[in-house]
Amino acid sequence: MVGLFQEIAFSLMVNLPGRLYELGITESGIGLAYSMSALAALLLRPWFGRILDVVHRRTVLRIAGVGNIVAIAVLAVVDGSGAMLWAAFLLQRIVQVFLYTTALTYAADAVPVGLRTQGLALFGLSGLIPIAFANLIGDALLRVGGYPGVIAAAGVSSSIAWGLVWRLPALPVLGERPRRSFWAVAIQKNMLPLWWITLTFSMGMETVFTFIRTYIDTVGLSTMGTFFAVYGGMATLTRAFGGSRYDAVPHRPLVVVGVATQGIGLSLVAFADGVAMVLIGAFLMGTAHGAVFPVLSSEVVSRARTAERGSAVAMFTSLFDAALLIVAPLGGFLIDSAGYTRGFSTVAAILVAGAVVYVVWDRRLQATTRAAEPTAAHEVV
C-alpha cells in the first residue's frame, strides 16, 4: 500500500510540466529543468547508495517522505517562476527518486530468492496501476482545480503513503561480505550490459513521462487520462499475467524484444495522424514497460552481492536520471526546433539501436564468463 499511494503521487506529478508551461516556461526550459534535477540526483547517488547499504530502508522512507510532502505542497501553491518554484521542483524530483529506489530495495529484501522476478513484478503493480488510473482522476481534477488541484492531490497521496510507512516492519540490512564502494559496484563487469540496456529503456520511458503532457495539449489527440489508461493498463496486465512466467523464458531475448517494442510504440506516437495510432503506441509501450522493468531489476539484484544490494539498486535507478539528463534537453530542443515527430522518432531509433548493442554485448560477456568459470555463472567478474 505504501508503494501504491507513493506511485499515485508520482503519476499525478507527470502533469507538472503542464503547470510549468502555464507559467510561461518553454519546452526547452522544461527539458533543461528536468535534466538539471536528474544531474543533481546523479551527483547524490553514490552517497545515497552507501546509505542504503547500511541504514534500514524504512528510516530512509520516513525522512525522504517528509521532504516529498513539503516540496509538493509548495509546488501546489506557488504562482511564479521564481526561486521558490525551482527549489521545490529540485527537492521534489530528488526525493521522488530516493523514495522509489528505497521502496524497490525494500521489496528486493523482502522477496525470497526463488521468487525474486515474480515478487518484484508483483511489487511493480503498485506503480503500474496508478499509471493506468491516476491520470483519469487527474483529468477530472484538472477541469475542477487546474494544475494546482492535481498537484495538491499528489500531496495528499504522498501524505497517506508516508503515514503507512510507519507500519512497515524494519527488515535487517543484509549481507556478510565486506562492502565495496558504490563505484566498484557501478563498474562490476557483468553489470555493464545491464546498465546499458537500462539506460536505453529508460530514455524511452522518460521521453513519454516528460513530454506527453504537452504533446497531448499541442496536437489534441487523445487525453492524458486515456493515454495512460492504455499505457498503464497494458503494463499492469503484462506484469500480472507474466510475473510468474518471466523466469521460464530466457531474460535476454525478452528484454531485447521489449525495448524494441517500446521503440516501435514511440515511433507510432511520433507519426500519429489520429487517436488510434497514439493509443496503439501507448499499448505497445505499456506492454514493453510491464515486461522489461521487473526482469532488469531482478537481473541487477541477482548479479549484485547481497551486502551491496542498496548500491546496486541505487545505480540501477540512477540510470533513469541519466536518461532524463540526456533526453530532456535533447527532446526539448528537437521538439522546439522540428516538432514532436522529429523528437520522438529520434529517441525511438536510439531504443532499437541500443537493444542490438545489448544483445551482442551481454551474450559475448556471458559466454566468456562461462568459459572461464563454468560452474559460477553469477560470480562477480
Side-chain angles (χ1 to χ4, degrees), residues 160-228:
I160 295 173
W162 184 79
L164 292 172
V165 165
W166 292 81
R167 302 182 63 183
L168 293 176
L171 299 178
V173 179
L174 302 174
E176 299 178 355
R177 294 189 187 185
R179 296 179 176 91
R180 299 173 298 168
S181 71
F182 174 87
W183 296 112
V185 177
I187 63 172
Q188 185 174 308
K189 190 175 180 181
N190 66 342
M191 291 291 204
L192 297 179
L194 292 179
W195 302 150
W196 169 262
I197 196 60
T198 300
L199 178 66
T200 304
F201 166 70
S202 55
M203 286 177 68
M205 197 174 74
E206 294 294 353
T207 296
V208 172
F209 289 167
T210 302
F211 295 112
I212 202 66
R213 172 75 267 176
T214 53
Y215 168 82
I216 287 172
D217 290 345
T218 301
V219 304
L221 299 176
S222 188
T223 66
M224 189 77 158
T226 304
F227 181 92
F228 277 110

